[in-house]
Amino acid sequence: GAGVSQSPRYKVAKRGQDVALRCDPISGHVSLFWYQQALGQGPEFLTYFQNEAQLDKSGLPSDRFFAERPEGSVSTLKIQRTQQEDSAVYLCASSARVTGVNQPQHFGDGTRLSIL
Amino acid sequence: ELKVEQNPLFLSMQEGKNYTIYCNYSTTSDRLYWYRQDPGKSLESLFVLLSNGAVKQEGRLMASLDTKARLSTLHITAAVHDLSATYFCASEEQFYFGTGTSLTVIP
């Protein structure tokens, strides 16, 4: 399809397990964001890539969170030693970048992560 | 502190009425984005406001930006049920989102 694709849609893990969430952005989109959205809240910024460069990771809540985009397209968000507070919807969004400005983002449907 | 604040957080309005959602931001970038999110769905872009005084309109929704006051508004005219959703504003090139305004339009 032409949109942002995230997988899996749902992930249930036991506390302490590692998880990996995948994002396929729209082809050609330079900018890629990861957000965490808790129920009833707005998306909280986690990290930002321009092509393969991770330009901002200030939103990652701890060193258990790691993101990469090695070839400037697909991105993976990895969470190690998951905790219950990691339960949330993880959103990926991509956008074009025109004259140094991020265009409106196209969001994926998100991965709903539940930690038991 | 919150970099983007929206109010009200919850809004219930009758069909046909007008109302305004407010978005105050404290970030340095003056570009402001509005998104809509339906229950269980992801976010959909509505408007991008790029400069002071910018006004964009689409159907019954109109967004404006006052960079001096660091305020954006989303005005709803003659609400219809299809507008029921949560509306978010975002600033600083979409690094920061507001907490959202949950709008319910009652027949």
Side-chain angles (χ1 to χ4, degrees), chain A:
Chain A
V4 176
S5 176
Q6 290 187 247
S7 60
R9 283 296 314 277
Y10 303 92
K11 176 70 179 177
V12 179
K14 291 184 179 177
R15 190 175 55 166
Q17 289 183 327
D18 298 348
V19 298
L21 313 180
R22 177 187 169 102
C23 173
D24 276 279
I26 291 174
S27 178
H29 275 189
V30 166
S31 298
L32 186 146
F33 288 77
W34 282 99
Y35 299 92
Q36 181 188 65
Q37 187 175 26
L39 190 64
Q41 300 294 315
E44 292 272 346
F45 167 76
L46 292 176
T47 187
Y48 168 61
F49 291 86
Q50 266 188 38
N51 297 305
E52 69 279 2
Q54 189 175 20
L55 297 187
D56 193 324
K57 55 181 182 179
S58 62
L60 296 176
S62 77
D63 59 7
R64 297 186 294 104
F65 286 71
F66 172 76
E68 60 182 3
R69 194 186 185 196
E71 295 176 1
S73 55
V74 171
S75 179
T76 304
L77 176 67
K78 297 178 180 176
I79 309 172
Q80 298 177 320
R81 304 181 305 280
T82 52
Q83 303 292 319
Q84 282 193 320
E85 62 262 27
D86 299 335
S87 296
V89 175
Y90 290 84
L91 296 171
C92 174
S94 71
S95 70
R97 192 165 169 84
V98 177
T99 59
V101 175
N102 284 329
Q103 300 305 298
Q105 295 181 79
H106 298 258
F107 279 81
D109 288 335
T111 294
R112 185 175 296 276
L113 176 64
S114 299
I115 305 300
L116 305 179

Side-chain angles (χ1 to χ4, degrees), chain B residues 50-68:
Chain B
L50 297 177
S51 60
N52 189 42
V55 177
K56 295 273 184 77
Q57 182 160 8
E58 180 76 33
R60 300 173 188 275
L61 299 177
M62 183 174 71
S64 65
L65 178 62
D66 180 345
T67 58
K68 291 184 173 59

Side-chain angles (χ1 to χ4, degrees), chain B residues 28-82:
Chain B
T28 55
S29 171
D30 283 328
R31 285 182 287 275
L32 200 291
Y33 305 77
W34 283 96
Y35 287 85
R36 168 185 173 140
Q37 186 175 36
D38 291 290
K41 305 283 187 179
S42 198
L43 284 82
E44 173 190 343
S45 175
L46 291 174
F47 301 110
V48 183
L49 303 167
L50 297 177
S51 60
N52 189 42
V55 177
K56 295 273 184 77
Q57 182 160 8
E58 180 76 33
R60 300 173 188 275
L61 299 177
M62 183 174 71
S64 65
L65 178 62
D66 180 345
T67 58
K68 291 184 173 59
R70 298 203 177 277
L71 171 69
S72 180
T73 60
L74 181 65
H75 187 73
I76 303 152
T77 301
V80 293
H81 181 68
D82 285 352

